[in-house]
Amino acid sequence: MDPYAVLGVARDAPTEEIRQAYVDLARRTHPDVRGDDPAAAEQMRRINLAWEMLSDAESRVAIDRRLRQPPSSPSPGPRPSPADQPAARPHQDDFDGGQDDFDGDDRPLTGGSLPGWMRAGAPLAFVAGVFAVVFGVLAGGFVLVRFGILLLGLSALLFLLSPFVVLIRSRGGPVR
């Protein structure tokens, strides 16, 4: 895709001119303006993608470099075997600035949530720990203070583990 052609601007256009072209096209093309036109959403997606590509200076330099290269023609020599070609990378969103966030686990994310005991456990352990420490100090009960500190530590541990539990549950169980 040539983002300059999508926005209808010259390749040497300044960023402000590109932004103005984007705004004008968005005002005319947005699905809310065009009503039930099924092509409006696709056009708007392309316009947004073109703007994202050209609004970032590094991305624009890379696009200009790619557009300056002559199209490669197939060489008459032997074609490389699939084993000689590099492995295909997983699909990467055009909006991430070239950062690949693939973690090797391609199971779909689902609505992971904390189990009830963990959701209630951290705040209850915290409150009980604070009360135990306060009453232990006031009553002079060293055992009660120790128990309160233990509960505060348990509360912190549950709090710190909760994002990992949610991630594991959102992937459908333990990582294989």
Side-chain angles (χ1 to χ4, degrees):
M1 176 178 95
D2 181 356
Y4 294 104
V6 171
L7 295 177
V9 295
R11 290 191 178 157
D12 60 349
T15 304
E16 184 55 36
E17 182 180 329
I18 294 171
R19 188 191 72 76
Q20 189 59 47
Y22 164 74
V23 169
D24 292 343
L25 280 171
R27 285 184 180 149
R28 290 192 315 256
T29 311
H30 198 278
D32 290 344
V33 174
R34 303 252 314 255
D36 292 333
D37 183 3
E42 177 60 24
Q43 286 177 315
M44 194 65 214
R45 187 193 66 77
R46 288 176 51 85
I47 291 168
N48 284 333
L49 179 59
W51 168 244
E52 288 292 325
M53 292 167 77
L54 295 178
S55 63
D56 178 56
E58 289 178 24
S59 173
R60 186 173 179 187
V61 167
I63 290 165
D64 289 343
R65 190 176 319 120
R66 178 180 56 90
L67 291 174
R68 270 184 290 202
Q69 291 178 352
S72 61
S73 61
S75 62
R79 301 187 91 186
S81 70
D84 296 336
Q85 295 178 357
R89 295 182 67 199
H91 175 70
Q92 153 176 321
D93 193 3
D94 291 326
F95 297 106
D96 69 359
Q99 298 297 320
D100 189 2
D101 60 354
F102 184 67
D103 62 359
D105 189 353
D106 60 352
R107 287 180 286 164
L109 287 175
T110 60
S113 62
L114 282 174
W117 65 269
M118 195 169 194
R119 198 173 324 134
L124 288 176
F126 179 77
V127 170
V130 168
F131 280 120
V133 168
V134 168
F135 288 124
V137 168
L138 292 176
F142 185 66
V143 173
L144 198 54
V145 172
R146 282 184 148 181
F147 181 68
I149 291 173
L150 179 72
L151 284 174
L152 288 172
L154 176 66
S155 170
L157 180 66
L158 289 174
F159 177 76
L160 292 172
L161 287 178
S162 61
F164 300 105
V165 171
V166 169
L167 180 63
I168 290 170
R169 290 177 62 127
S170 72
R171 298 282 177 125
V175 176
R176 290 183 281 271

